[in-house]
Amino acid sequence: MQWTIAELASEAAAAVERLGIEAPNGKVGEVPDVRMLRYYGSLGLLDRPAEVRGRTAYYERRHLLQFIAVKRLQAEGETLAQAQRRLIGRTDSELEGIARLDEAGQRKRFWAERPVQRSVAPLAEMSVGVPLAPGCTVLFTPDRTLDADDLAAIQHAGRELLRTLESRGLVTAERNTP
């Protein structure tokens, strides 16, 4: 099968979606386009077109494998330069292994699913709040009840934290603790 670069971009976008490839740092472009594919070609991440007829270049499955492998490596935290070094000279079967095409449909888009209702006590019922300053309360879910000495020790230890938070403008200087 052969694709034009626009068709390859469409196939690549569908593959990235189907495989659930995404990066937690948000640096992986989720929707590949013609410009991205050309850029990857200029970096040597994609081979030259398999065929050129007139002014139209045609790409094959290997190009799709290369693109998916790059996206998979980026999703694992690698840079384009690192991906380039790892992928250069790879066979189609090696690219398939890196692209992990067999994982299609196993990862789901968590934000598109309805949340599961759990019968968990609200956080306020499970925790003890120790106010350090206006807008700054430390929450604990202790295995035992905190006594006055525990609270005093927590507030004392929290003073350095408060100084740092105040210097960054995250809390006000006026404290509601002794």
Side-chain angles (χ1 to χ4, degrees), residues 116-139:
V116 176
Q117 294 295 326
R118 293 190 167 94
S119 58
V120 175
L123 183 61
E125 292 177 17
M126 301 182 333
S127 60
V128 174
V130 180
L132 297 179
C136 183
T137 300
V138 177
L139 293 179

Side-chain angles (χ1 to χ4, degrees), residues 61-62 65 90-100:
R61 184 172 187 272
R62 176 175 176 79
L65 289 174
R90 297 287 184 153
T91 66
D92 287 1
S93 61
E94 290 171 326
L95 289 171
E96 283 179 15
I98 294 167
R100 296 194 313 267

Side-chain angles (χ1 to χ4, degrees), residues 41-131:
S42 73
L43 294 176
L45 292 164
L46 297 180
D47 291 345
R48 295 180 59 82
E51 185 179 344
V52 178
R53 285 184 245 143
R55 295 182 54 166
T56 306
Y58 291 92
Y59 299 82
E60 296 180 339
R61 184 172 187 272
R62 176 175 176 79
H63 298 96
L64 182 61
L65 289 174
Q66 288 173 318
F67 180 81
I68 295 169
V70 168
K71 288 299 171 192
R72 188 69 80 178
L73 293 174
Q74 277 188 303
E76 293 170 0
E78 292 196 22
T79 65
L80 288 177
Q82 291 168 324
Q84 182 185 43
R85 285 191 294 274
R86 285 197 50 193
L87 298 177
I88 197 160
R90 297 287 184 153
T91 66
D92 287 1
S93 61
E94 290 171 326
L95 289 171
E96 283 179 15
I98 294 167
R100 296 194 313 267
L101 298 177
D102 56 334
E103 291 183 12
Q106 291 181 7
R107 290 178 55 192
K108 296 181 180 173
R109 298 179 330 159
F110 66 89
W111 62 89
E113 296 176 3
R114 179 174 221 131
V116 176
Q117 294 295 326
R118 293 190 167 94
S119 58
V120 175
L123 183 61
E125 292 177 17
M126 301 182 333
S127 60
V128 174
V130 180

Side-chain angles (χ1 to χ4, degrees), residues 106-176:
Q106 291 181 7
R107 290 178 55 192
K108 296 181 180 173
R109 298 179 330 159
F110 66 89
W111 62 89
E113 296 176 3
R114 179 174 221 131
V116 176
Q117 294 295 326
R118 293 190 167 94
S119 58
V120 175
L123 183 61
E125 292 177 17
M126 301 182 333
S127 60
V128 174
V130 180
L132 297 179
C136 183
T137 300
V138 177
L139 293 179
F140 289 89
T141 54
D143 294 340
R144 62 182 179 82
T145 304
L146 298 178
D147 61 24
D149 289 337
D150 294 328
L151 295 176
I154 292 165
Q155 289 173 339
H156 177 74
R159 288 193 183 107
E160 184 60 34
L161 172 62
L162 282 176
R163 279 192 282 280
T164 301
L165 293 173
E166 288 168 2
S167 71
R168 297 181 154 295
L170 299 172
V171 297
T172 61
E174 126 190 18
R175 297 187 180 137
N176 61 355

Side-chain angles (χ1 to χ4, degrees), residues 12-64:
V16 166
E17 173 71 22
R18 184 176 59 253
L19 294 169
I21 299 172
E22 55 195 40
N25 63 9
K27 291 187 178 180
V28 177
E30 292 189 20
V31 182
D33 58 11
V34 170
R35 185 173 179 215
M36 181 187 295
L37 293 174
R38 286 192 175 125
Y39 177 64
Y40 282 16
S42 73
L43 294 176
L45 292 164
L46 297 180
D47 291 345
R48 295 180 59 82
E51 185 179 344
V52 178
R53 285 184 245 143
R55 295 182 54 166
T56 306
Y58 291 92
Y59 299 82
E60 296 180 339
R61 184 172 187 272
R62 176 175 176 79
H63 298 96
L64 182 61

